């Protein structure tokens, strides 16, 4: 999938995959939502409205109330790519989200996932 297609993909179309990945490992939808809120600054009603509206990744991150500055601490490999080396800013934001969901699914403590 090209970067452009990813950017114009709705977050709502990928969100069930994030939730399913977490739930397969005994984690919850609420924890996925907590990660999304921590990363973007959306509150729960705002997050749900974005999902319901079919907001694409470009708008989801561009219009986020407050991208968490601690997200720069997210390091590691997602899909064979080091997150911290992703040059394209929007793709890096998407990879940060992917990495946090991966950490959740691997059983990492929420405090550690949220860089607390």
């Amino acid at each position: 999938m090209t970067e452009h297609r990813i950017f114009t993909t709705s977050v709502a179309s990928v969100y069930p995959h994030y939730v399913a990945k977490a739930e397969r490992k005994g984690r919850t939808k609420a924890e996925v939502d907590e990660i999304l809120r921590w990363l973007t600054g959306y509150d729960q009603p705002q997050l749900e409205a974005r999902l319901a509206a079919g907001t694409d990744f470009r708008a989801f991150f561009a219009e986020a109330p407050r991208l968490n500055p601690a997200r720069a601490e997210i390091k590691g490999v997602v899909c064979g790519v080091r997150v911290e080396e992703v040059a394209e800013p929007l793709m890096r934001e998407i990879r940060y989200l992917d990495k946090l969901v991966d950490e959740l699914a691997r059983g990492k403590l929420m405090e550690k996932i949220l860089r607390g």
Side-chain angles (χ1 to χ4, degrees):
M1 184 178 286
T2 66
E3 284 184 358
H4 177 74
R5 278 189 55 205
I6 292 168
F7 298 165
T8 59
T9 298
S10 74
V11 177
S13 70
V14 179
Y15 176 79
H17 300 287
Y18 290 143
V19 172
K21 181 175 189 171
E23 289 178 340
R24 278 193 307 269
K25 300 295 184 165
R27 304 305 288 259
T28 66
K29 175 186 172 296
E31 288 173 310
V32 173
D33 288 356
E34 184 176 355
I35 286 169
L36 282 160
R37 292 191 314 268
W38 177 87
L39 186 61
T40 62
Y42 289 114
D43 61 25
Q44 190 65 31
Q46 291 170 322
L47 175 60
E48 290 171 6
R50 291 296 177 163
L51 293 171
T55 304
D56 66 28
F57 277 102
R58 185 182 311 277
F60 185 77
F61 283 107
E63 298 167 6
R66 186 187 67 81
L67 292 173
N68 195 313
R71 73 194 189 288
E73 297 173 24
I74 301 169
K75 309 276 190 240
V77 178
V78 175
C79 300
V81 177
R82 293 205 70 68
V83 174
E84 61 272 24
E85 294 175 2
V86 175
E88 205 294 317
L90 179 55
M91 183 56 76
R92 188 175 328 110
E93 299 299 339
I94 295 167
R95 293 300 183 203
Y96 284 154
L97 176 55
D98 292 343
K99 181 65 178 165
L100 295 176
V101 173
D102 282 353
E103 291 177 356
L104 180 68
R106 283 198 317 263
K108 196 169 187 180
L109 294 175
M110 195 59 117
E111 179 181 319
K112 300 277 188 192
I113 294 169
L114 302 183
R115 307 318 194 244

